Amino acid sequence: MDVIVLGGGLMGTASACFLARRGARVTLIERNRVGAGATVASFGNIRRTGRHLSQLPLAHRSLRLWAGAEKMLGRDVEFRATGHIRLIFDEGGLADMRAYAEAARPWGLELEELSPREIQTRFPGLGPDAIAASFSPHDGSGNPRLIAPAFAEAARKLGAKIVEGAEIGTIRHTGSGFLVATSKGSFAAECLLNTAGAWGARIAAQFGEEVPLEARGPQMGVTEPLPHRILPVVGIWTRDKDHGAYLRQVERGNFVFGGAAERVSVDLEPGHAAADPMRLPAQLRAVARLLPAIAQVAVIRTWSGCEGYVRDMLPVMGRSATTLGLFHAFGFSGHGFQLGPGVGDAMAELITTGRCETPLDDFRIDRFKARRAEMDSGDAL
């Protein structure tokens, strides 16, 4: 079959690659350059801890693909299974961690609880005031600058057509499939996969499917390099969003950090998100709670990216509820990086076979329509 993929971020390029591996004829259309949107602005976190439970099967599927990415893609995308540690500074955070760990265990995620002594012995310098931590040893990080181009190149080698710098004009559903008119020509296919990120809701709306999605931008930063000594990705269990920071040290020595700063609204046209320097001091105080030594390090760059946040913080993924041959995979609400390879593999399986071994029911697009109907019924009563 022929498939058009709209959007060249991680979800789109991974989908194009796995579709091509399954023998589909694929055209990927990207308005800018592959991997230049929300993907490249990502923190690079590959974590399962704290995810909505219904996402864990997809996260497990994706982690297996991350582990084999270098062999599959023919290049090092800097996936490192260094572990993911979440520090805890109060009893509320400890209770939340223990409740989540118990709930996640039947879903295949085992979290190790660390005492203050174990934290300092295994990860010196982290959270000296922490009362506990969770640790997931098989998670880690990857390089956001490398992964989407790597998937795109692998898809191209398998015969996929990658069209960059193409503005979308019109999208029509014809009797035999879809016709997409762009600034670089028109493309036709039996199936259309919407992986347009923050713009995904606009495409869905053209087919009568409304998704409550907002475009927002996180605040990210990176420091000057220091000797490499912090291996795991570091986060926090907290109910206070002002303390919700996270960091990791890349192999070149720089610390990448984010969180603890409210995500700002982004206008989809032109879709450019910018970090706010006025938020940086408070953000760094939250980051220094995790690693006090970072307070003495110079910040050399800050940035943001345009991400699509769905009201219930779950992605939209699966078949269209209105249009045969239309599929969606967007709205990953700032935590899609880890899921990317799994999303691509799952969507390729669904499109080419009509089924998916990974449960996707919680991500169906018509869930919002069902909830509105329930609310309207309650109002009538």
Side-chain angles (χ1 to χ4, degrees):
M1 64 174 62
D2 295 301
V3 183
I4 292 174
V5 179
L6 295 181
L10 176 52
M11 306 306 172
T13 55
S15 296
C17 181
F18 286 112
L19 281 163
R21 284 168 65 96
R22 288 176 175 267
R25 295 182 294 272
V26 183
T27 301
L28 182 147
I29 302 173
E30 164 57 38
R31 65 184 297 190
N32 295 309
R33 292 189 63 82
V34 161
T39 299
V40 78
S42 169
F43 173 69
N45 199 357
I46 297 176
R47 58 125 183 129
R48 293 167 296 164
T49 304
R51 288 194 177 277
H52 192 281
L53 297 178
S54 64
Q55 288 188 8
L56 286 177
L58 184 61
H60 296 326
R61 179 174 187 160
S62 199
L63 185 61
R64 290 192 295 271
L65 292 166
W66 276 109
E70 183 173 356
K71 181 179 180 180
M72 176 176 61
L73 299 174
R75 67 173 72 177
D76 181 12
V77 293
E78 297 183 8
F79 167 69
R80 304 290 185 264
T82 53
H84 179 92
I85 185 172
R86 275 197 172 188
L87 300 170
I88 303 167
F89 294 90
D90 55 56
E91 293 298 328
L94 182 58
D96 291 346
M97 184 277 287
R98 287 174 173 171
Y100 182 83
E102 183 176 355
R105 193 171 295 113
W107 293 79
L109 177 61
E110 292 284 345
L111 294 181
E112 181 182 358
E113 182 176 329
L114 305 182
S115 68
R117 176 176 292 181
E118 288 171 319
I119 296 169
Q120 293 308 310
T121 299
R122 294 171 59 177
F123 309 106
L126 291 182
D129 299 326
I131 63 171
S134 68
F135 185 61
S136 178
H138 302 297
D139 292 328
S141 63
N143 191 326
R145 293 182 174 274
L146 301 179
I147 187 64
F151 267 120
E153 182 60 25
R156 185 182 287 112
K157 289 179 178 178
L158 291 167
K161 184 174 185 178
I162 311 296
V163 183
E164 297 177 287
E167 291 288 343
I168 302 294
T170 60
I171 305 172
R172 289 198 301 113
H173 184 226
T174 68
S176 59
F178 297 85
L179 182 64
V180 180
T182 80
S183 59
K184 291 198 170 180
S186 295
F187 304 90
E190 298 170 59
C191 296
L192 181 70
L193 174 56
N194 171 18
T195 59
W199 291 264
R202 286 188 174 182
I203 294 172
Q206 295 184 42
F207 297 92
E209 299 182 293
E210 300 294 330
V211 176
L213 179 146
E214 294 182 1
R216 303 182 201 162
Q219 177 147 313
M220 309 298 301
V222 63
T223 73
E224 63 182 325
L226 290 178
H228 188 257
R229 62 186 181 91
I230 304 297
L231 289 178
V233 177
V234 185
I236 184 173
W237 288 98
T238 180
R239 299 174 183 179
D240 187 345
K241 65 180 182 180
D242 292 334
H243 290 156
Y246 45 85
L247 65 91
R248 66 183 180 95
Q249 189 176 24
V250 303
E251 292 172 353
R252 292 168 291 281
N254 310 77
F255 284 96
V256 182
F257 61 88
E262 185 177 356
R263 292 174 171 87
V264 298
S265 295
V266 179
D267 187 347
L268 286 178
E269 299 302 336
H272 296 154
D276 182 355
M278 299 301 292
R279 299 170 185 260
L280 186 58
Q283 185 180 37
L284 285 174
R285 286 193 292 272
V287 174
R289 193 182 192 198
L290 308 180
L291 179 66
I294 207 170
Q296 309 302 318
V297 183
V299 175
I300 59 175
R301 185 168 69 92
T302 61
W303 70 92
S304 186
C306 183
E307 300 175 332
Y309 288 79
V310 181
R311 182 182 299 159
D312 61 7
M313 297 297 285
L314 292 176
V316 173
M317 196 174 165
R319 292 184 180 88
S320 164
T322 65
T323 308
L324 184 66
L326 174 63
F327 298 83
H328 302 289
F330 68 91
F332 288 86
S333 305
H335 53 253
F337 187 78
Q338 191 275 348
L339 298 177
V343 170
D345 193 30
M347 294 308 299
E349 180 188 12
L350 179 62
I351 292 170
T352 58
T353 71
R355 60 175 180 79
C356 183
E357 68 177 24
T358 301
L360 304 176
D361 285 350
D362 279 10
F363 315 139
R364 65 189 188 277
I365 195 167
D366 60 351
R367 69 185 189 263
F368 309 107
K369 184 176 181 180
R371 288 171 191 170
R372 282 195 298 271
E374 291 174 2
M375 293 175 63
D376 292 342
S377 176
D379 290 342
L381 294 175

